[in-house]
Structures are given as C-alpha cells and as structure tokens.
Amino acid sequence: MSVNNPTSTGFGPVSSNRHQLDENPLHIAQRQIERACEALNLPTTARKLLRQPLREFHAMLSVQMDDGSVEVFPAYRVQWNDARGPGKGGIRFHPQETVDTVRALAAWMTLKTAVMDLPLGGAKGGVICDPKHLSKSELERLSRAYIRAMSQAIGPDIDVPAPDVYTTPQVMAWMMDEYESIFSRRQPGVITGKPLCVGGSIGRNDATARGGIYAVREAANLLKIDLKDKTAAIQGYGNAGSYAHQLAVELLGMRVVAVSDSRGGVYAPEGLDYRKVQEHKQRTGSVVGYPGAQTISNEELLELNVTVLFPSALENVITERNAECIRAQIVAELANGPTTPEADEILHRRGVFVLPDILCNAGGVTVSYFEQVQNASNFYWDEATIHRLLDERITNAFATMHQTATEYGVHNRLGAHIVAVKRVYEAMKVRGWA
Ligand code: GLU
C-alpha cells in the first residue's frame, strides 16, 4: 500500500478556461465545489482543502483465480474530507472505474453527509475489476484482499466503507470478517450495508430508493403535482433502480412505464409490474426481453415524456447533448453524478425540477449511519423507527436545500452544495484547518 500525496497525482486544472466538454467526474466535482465556495466567499485555504482529497490509498491486489492463475487488480480508497466525522462511502467494483471517479465520488460523499447533517465525512473506494466475470470464491478473495490492503486506512472511527455499484451485503460480510480477523475483535461498525445476521440494519436494502421516493414526494408537494397514476421512467436496475420501481408504485401510486439496465430498456405505457420485471431480470440477467413490452434504448428512456425520471446507474448520462430533450418534470438522481454542470444550467432554464444526487440518493448513507449507531450501542431498532428517522432527515434536507436555492437564486444542486460546503467549512474552521 502506498500513501499518495494528492498534490502530486496530476489533478486537472480547476481554472475557468477548462474545456466545455470535460466530463471527467473529478473535474466536475471540483468545479461544483468551487462554485459553492464562490457563493459563500470562502477563504483560499478552505478552497484548497475542499478541492482535493485529504488522503488517498492505492494498492495492487493480487488475487488467486479458480484456475490457479493470479490476477492483479488496482484498488483505491480516497478520503476527501473528514472534518465533520469519520470518512464514509461505498466501495465500487467496476471495469471502467478510474481513480478520478473514486475521487469525485469521495467528494460527493463529503457533500452528501454534510447536506444530510450526518456527523460524518466523505470517502470512497473502488477496484477496477469486472465482477460479472468473477466466480463467488474469486469475489470473496478479492474482497478480503481489498481489506488486507486497506486495513490501516479504515476503521469505525476513521473511515467506514459500504456497498456501491456491484458490491453487495455478502461482500460487506466478507470484508467485515477479514477486518475482524486482522484485529482479533468484533468490529461490526467498520463497514455498513451488512447482512442483518452480522449487524446489518433493517431497512438498509431499500434505503437509497426510499430516500429518493421521500424526496420526490416533497418535490411534488412543492410543485403541486398529484403523483397518483402519473408516469415514471427508471434508468438503471441495480439496488437503487429496482427498489425505486417497487416504492414508486407502492408509496406514490405511480405508473412506472420504462426501466433499463446496462443492456437496454423496456417500455410499456400501461405500466410495468415490478415483481414480474424483477423476476425476469433475476432469471435472464437483464430487463431486456421482458414479455409484452417494447424495447427502447437507455438514451430513448431518458427522453420519455414522464412526470419523474430516475437516473439510477452511472455518471454523465444527462449532458449538454440531451438536456434540451429531457421531458420529465422532476429528475430524481438516484445515481451519483448523472448530470453534468452544463446540463444543469439547461434543465434549470427549462424549468425541470432536479433532485440532486447528494440529497436524492442519500437514503443509503443515512441508514448506513443508523447502522453504525446501532452497531456502537449493540441495540437494534425496528423498521418503523428507521423509516421515520430517514423520512425526517430527507424532509429536513429538502427544505434546507430549497430555502437556500431560493435565497441565492440558484438551482437546487448549487443550493444543496452551498448548504454542504458551508457545514464542512464551519467544521474545518473550528478545528483550525482553514
Ligand atoms: N454507496 C452509497 C452512496 O453513494 C452508500 C454509501 C454508504 O452507505 O456509506 O451514497
């Protein structure tokens, strides 16, 4: 494991002459933070600290494959800022992962925990690998290797990982077990998103989607839209997207007319039954080919004339290339970073109400925080308590974001970023960092 000095890792410029089409997520996160700093008129020292990670850890993981060969996987843990509390954020296993993506996700985690007013900082992990081509035992060895490499960097009061794209409660269980083996003690609070039987929290599975649904409810109240029988489209059908399908129907009475995953999408104007679509995906590996529905592409899904669009997959799907064509009234970002800053301006001008990622998908980390609290006290709450506390957090964060966006005359995302950056700055200031 090497500890990198972030100032020497070749970060791109954060200047105003950046290229318009720069879709590097790190540069996007840095520009967003810079704008919030400008709005708040923060001193240079604070800006310097906020625009790069405090620490990062890089490792090459050697993992034995089932056929006896050894493969090497690059792995990262980035701690963007922990002024408000221990680092917090998921670990992503993805073939297209880059260190700059992990950095951006760590930056967004910092803003997310702050806008939700959780006593946590922001961090993120990633491994460049293709979990779809790993056996269960290879995945276990990779998960354990990650923890061996990062064991000094993480801990319940240092930095607490969790699931992200392509990592599951089972992966969290292996990771916790490896950490506990290294330190010879039970430490369930080292990681969240665990299975219930080893210290997971009830309500963590659907928490990302549930938080997003509560946020959509708040937005609809504000905009005076009655969501009953109104339409929704969901791009991405992983943990967030598939539960969003279920909860949009069950909690909001909406009609989900289109869903998609990395292989493509399906569309049915009368609405898609979430049980049947989930069962089809379970059986075939994709939503594509779902009987009785038309096939559509991910690009077409994003441009459907629906009331709510849920981008629930990866970064940069709403850009200046398609933002003029988005017809949804509400864009509820369950993915991290799905909308570029150029697209934000276009959507804002066109009156599309964007629920920004750091608020809309914060249900996951919020219930992760509840999981940590339960682990620390070794006492577990019931589902109604989790749902109530999550609802309160989302509803309060929504109100604060909306109030700030109105006060500054800016779009919701910048409003949320101003709230978050201000809180992180206050913590850095009282600590004497800036
Ligand atoms: N990976 C999730 C996110 O992006 C959850 C993080 C957590 O629970 O710590 O918010």
PDB file of all heavy atoms in Angstrom, residues 1 120 127 151 155 179 198 203 206 250 309 347 352 362 385-386 416 419:
ATOM      1  N   MET A   1       0.849  -1.197   0.000  1.00  0.00           N
ATOM      2  CA  MET A   1       0.000   0.000   0.000  1.00  0.00           C
ATOM      3  C   MET A   1       0.883   1.246   0.000  1.00  0.00           C
ATOM      4  O   MET A   1       1.847   1.338   0.722  1.00  0.00           O
ATOM      5  CB  MET A   1      -0.871  -0.001   1.250  1.00  0.00           C
ATOM      6  CG  MET A   1      -1.761   1.205   1.344  1.00  0.00           C
ATOM      7  SD  MET A   1      -2.851   1.138   2.772  1.00  0.00           S
ATOM      8  CE  MET A   1      -1.654   1.228   4.108  1.00  0.00           C
ATOM      9  N   LEU A 120     -20.445  12.840   9.832  1.00  0.00           N
ATOM     10  CA  LEU A 120     -19.519  12.011   9.063  1.00  0.00           C
ATOM     11  C   LEU A 120     -18.838  12.846   7.997  1.00  0.00           C
ATOM     12  O   LEU A 120     -19.354  13.887   7.592  1.00  0.00           O
ATOM     13  CB  LEU A 120     -20.285  10.878   8.366  1.00  0.00           C
ATOM     14  CG  LEU A 120     -21.010   9.859   9.260  1.00  0.00           C
ATOM     15  CD1 LEU A 120     -21.953   8.995   8.431  1.00  0.00           C
ATOM     16  CD2 LEU A 120     -20.001   8.994  10.005  1.00  0.00           C
ATOM     17  N   VAL A 127     -12.408  -0.722  -6.964  1.00  0.00           N
ATOM     18  CA  VAL A 127     -11.481  -1.713  -7.526  1.00  0.00           C
ATOM     19  C   VAL A 127     -11.811  -1.832  -9.005  1.00  0.00           C
ATOM     20  O   VAL A 127     -12.987  -1.956  -9.377  1.00  0.00           O
ATOM     21  CB  VAL A 127     -11.651  -3.098  -6.848  1.00  0.00           C
ATOM     22  CG1 VAL A 127     -10.681  -4.104  -7.478  1.00  0.00           C
ATOM     23  CG2 VAL A 127     -11.432  -3.012  -5.348  1.00  0.00           C
ATOM     24  N   SER A 151      -6.480  -2.102   5.553  1.00  0.00           N
ATOM     25  CA  SER A 151      -6.885  -2.266   6.953  1.00  0.00           C
ATOM     26  C   SER A 151      -6.437  -1.117   7.849  1.00  0.00           C
ATOM     27  O   SER A 151      -7.115  -0.771   8.808  1.00  0.00           O
ATOM     28  CB  SER A 151      -6.379  -3.594   7.512  1.00  0.00           C
ATOM     29  OG  SER A 151      -4.972  -3.597   7.518  1.00  0.00           O
ATOM     30  N   GLY A 155     -11.655   2.016   9.596  1.00  0.00           N
ATOM     31  CA  GLY A 155     -11.969   1.669  10.985  1.00  0.00           C
ATOM     32  C   GLY A 155     -13.202   2.435  11.405  1.00  0.00           C
ATOM     33  O   GLY A 155     -13.504   3.489  10.819  1.00  0.00           O
ATOM     34  N   TYR A 179     -11.518  -7.921   8.273  1.00  0.00           N
ATOM     35  CA  TYR A 179     -11.052  -6.859   9.179  1.00  0.00           C
ATOM     36  C   TYR A 179     -11.004  -7.378  10.618  1.00  0.00           C
ATOM     37  O   TYR A 179     -10.025  -7.159  11.344  1.00  0.00           O
ATOM     38  CB  TYR A 179     -11.981  -5.640   9.065  1.00  0.00           C
ATOM     39  CG  TYR A 179     -11.513  -4.443   9.852  1.00  0.00           C
ATOM     40  CD1 TYR A 179     -10.612  -3.533   9.293  1.00  0.00           C
ATOM     41  CD2 TYR A 179     -11.969  -4.222  11.152  1.00  0.00           C
ATOM     42  CE1 TYR A 179     -10.182  -2.437  10.017  1.00  0.00           C
ATOM     43  CE2 TYR A 179     -11.534  -3.123  11.878  1.00  0.00           C
ATOM     44  CZ  TYR A 179     -10.643  -2.234  11.307  1.00  0.00           C
ATOM     45  OH  TYR A 179     -10.209  -1.145  12.031  1.00  0.00           O
ATOM     46  N   VAL A 198     -25.324 -10.316  10.798  1.00  0.00           N
ATOM     47  CA  VAL A 198     -23.997  -9.948  11.327  1.00  0.00           C
ATOM     48  C   VAL A 198     -23.931  -8.443  11.610  1.00  0.00           C
ATOM     49  O   VAL A 198     -22.875  -7.817  11.452  1.00  0.00           O
ATOM     50  CB  VAL A 198     -22.833 -10.390  10.402  1.00  0.00           C
ATOM     51  CG1 VAL A 198     -22.651 -11.898  10.465  1.00  0.00           C
ATOM     52  CG2 VAL A 198     -23.052  -9.927   8.960  1.00  0.00           C
ATOM     53  N   GLY A 203     -33.961  -2.199   6.923  1.00  0.00           N
ATOM     54  CA  GLY A 203     -34.253  -1.014   6.115  1.00  0.00           C
ATOM     55  C   GLY A 203     -33.068  -0.471   5.321  1.00  0.00           C
ATOM     56  O   GLY A 203     -33.199   0.539   4.640  1.00  0.00           O
ATOM     57  N   ASP A 206     -33.425  -1.148   0.934  1.00  0.00           N
ATOM     58  CA  ASP A 206     -34.157  -0.266   0.019  1.00  0.00           C
ATOM     59  C   ASP A 206     -33.955   1.212   0.367  1.00  0.00           C
ATOM     60  O   ASP A 206     -34.664   2.082  -0.144  1.00  0.00           O
ATOM     61  CB  ASP A 206     -35.651  -0.638  -0.024  1.00  0.00           C
ATOM     62  CG  ASP A 206     -36.403  -0.263   1.259  1.00  0.00           C
ATOM     63  OD1 ASP A 206     -35.831   0.393   2.143  1.00  0.00           O
ATOM     64  OD2 ASP A 206     -37.596  -0.621   1.369  1.00  0.00           O
ATOM     65  N   GLU A 250     -45.662   1.441  -4.810  1.00  0.00           N
ATOM     66  CA  GLU A 250     -46.301   1.176  -3.501  1.00  0.00           C
ATOM     67  C   GLU A 250     -46.523   2.444  -2.670  1.00  0.00           C
ATOM     68  O   GLU A 250     -47.537   2.574  -2.002  1.00  0.00           O
ATOM     69  CB  GLU A 250     -45.444   0.194  -2.690  1.00  0.00           C
ATOM     70  CG  GLU A 250     -45.546  -1.228  -3.210  1.00  0.00           C
ATOM     71  CD  GLU A 250     -44.762  -2.218  -2.366  1.00  0.00           C
ATOM     72  OE1 GLU A 250     -44.016  -1.794  -1.459  1.00  0.00           O
ATOM     73  OE2 GLU A 250     -44.894  -3.424  -2.637  1.00  0.00           O
ATOM     74  N   LEU A 309     -38.289  11.209 -13.813  1.00  0.00           N
ATOM     75  CA  LEU A 309     -37.214  10.395 -14.384  1.00  0.00           C
ATOM     76  C   LEU A 309     -36.216  10.092 -13.278  1.00  0.00           C
ATOM     77  O   LEU A 309     -35.766  11.008 -12.582  1.00  0.00           O
ATOM     78  CB  LEU A 309     -36.527  11.180 -15.517  1.00  0.00           C
ATOM     79  CG  LEU A 309     -35.241  10.572 -16.083  1.00  0.00           C
ATOM     80  CD1 LEU A 309     -35.523   9.260 -16.808  1.00  0.00           C
ATOM     81  CD2 LEU A 309     -34.564  11.560 -17.042  1.00  0.00           C
ATOM     82  N   LEU A 347     -31.320  22.404 -17.809  1.00  0.00           N
ATOM     83  CA  LEU A 347     -32.526  21.912 -17.125  1.00  0.00           C
ATOM     84  C   LEU A 347     -33.143  23.023 -16.276  1.00  0.00           C
ATOM     85  O   LEU A 347     -34.363  23.199 -16.236  1.00  0.00           O
ATOM     86  CB  LEU A 347     -32.189  20.695 -16.241  1.00  0.00           C
ATOM     87  CG  LEU A 347     -31.694  19.433 -16.965  1.00  0.00           C
ATOM     88  CD1 LEU A 347     -31.358  18.344 -15.942  1.00  0.00           C
ATOM     89  CD2 LEU A 347     -32.716  18.911 -17.962  1.00  0.00           C
ATOM     90  N   VAL A 352     -37.040  22.288 -15.393  1.00  0.00           N
ATOM     91  CA  VAL A 352     -37.072  20.904 -14.888  1.00  0.00           C
ATOM     92  C   VAL A 352     -36.606  20.939 -13.436  1.00  0.00           C
ATOM     93  O   VAL A 352     -35.579  21.552 -13.123  1.00  0.00           O
ATOM     94  CB  VAL A 352     -36.149  19.985 -15.730  1.00  0.00           C
ATOM     95  CG1 VAL A 352     -36.143  18.573 -15.168  1.00  0.00           C
ATOM     96  CG2 VAL A 352     -36.578  19.994 -17.195  1.00  0.00           C
ATOM     97  N   ALA A 362     -29.294  10.012  -0.832  1.00  0.00           N
ATOM     98  CA  ALA A 362     -28.649   9.998   0.493  1.00  0.00           C
ATOM     99  C   ALA A 362     -29.328   9.054   1.480  1.00  0.00           C
ATOM    100  O   ALA A 362     -28.836   8.868   2.595  1.00  0.00           O
ATOM    101  CB  ALA A 362     -28.612  11.414   1.070  1.00  0.00           C
ATOM    102  N   THR A 385     -39.081   2.664  13.003  1.00  0.00           N
ATOM    103  CA  THR A 385     -38.178   3.704  13.508  1.00  0.00           C
ATOM    104  C   THR A 385     -37.222   4.163  12.404  1.00  0.00           C
ATOM    105  O   THR A 385     -37.018   5.368  12.193  1.00  0.00           O
ATOM    106  CB  THR A 385     -37.369   3.162  14.712  1.00  0.00           C
ATOM    107  OG1 THR A 385     -38.296   2.687  15.681  1.00  0.00           O
ATOM    108  CG2 THR A 385     -36.474   4.226  15.321  1.00  0.00           C
ATOM    109  N   ILE A 386     -36.638   3.198  11.684  1.00  0.00           N
ATOM    110  CA  ILE A 386     -35.717   3.539  10.591  1.00  0.00           C
ATOM    111  C   ILE A 386     -36.436   4.406   9.549  1.00  0.00           C
ATOM    112  O   ILE A 386     -35.914   5.452   9.127  1.00  0.00           O
ATOM    113  CB  ILE A 386     -35.180   2.251   9.905  1.00  0.00           C
ATOM    114  CG1 ILE A 386     -34.414   1.369  10.907  1.00  0.00           C
ATOM    115  CG2 ILE A 386     -34.352   2.579   8.661  1.00  0.00           C
ATOM    116  CD1 ILE A 386     -33.010   1.777  11.192  1.00  0.00           C
ATOM    117  N   ALA A 416     -27.959  22.907  -2.649  1.00  0.00           N
ATOM    118  CA  ALA A 416     -27.523  21.801  -1.779  1.00  0.00           C
ATOM    119  C   ALA A 416     -26.018  21.882  -1.522  1.00  0.00           C
ATOM    120  O   ALA A 416     -25.543  21.648  -0.400  1.00  0.00           O
ATOM    121  CB  ALA A 416     -27.884  20.464  -2.423  1.00  0.00           C
ATOM    122  N   VAL A 419     -25.218  24.590   1.064  1.00  0.00           N
ATOM    123  CA  VAL A 419     -25.503  24.111   2.429  1.00  0.00           C
ATOM    124  C   VAL A 419     -24.355  23.208   2.914  1.00  0.00           C
ATOM    125  O   VAL A 419     -23.825  23.366   4.021  1.00  0.00           O
ATOM    126  CB  VAL A 419     -26.835  23.308   2.464  1.00  0.00           C
ATOM    127  CG1 VAL A 419     -27.063  22.689   3.842  1.00  0.00           C
ATOM    128  CG2 VAL A 419     -28.015  24.188   2.063  1.00  0.00           C
TER     129      VAL A 419
END
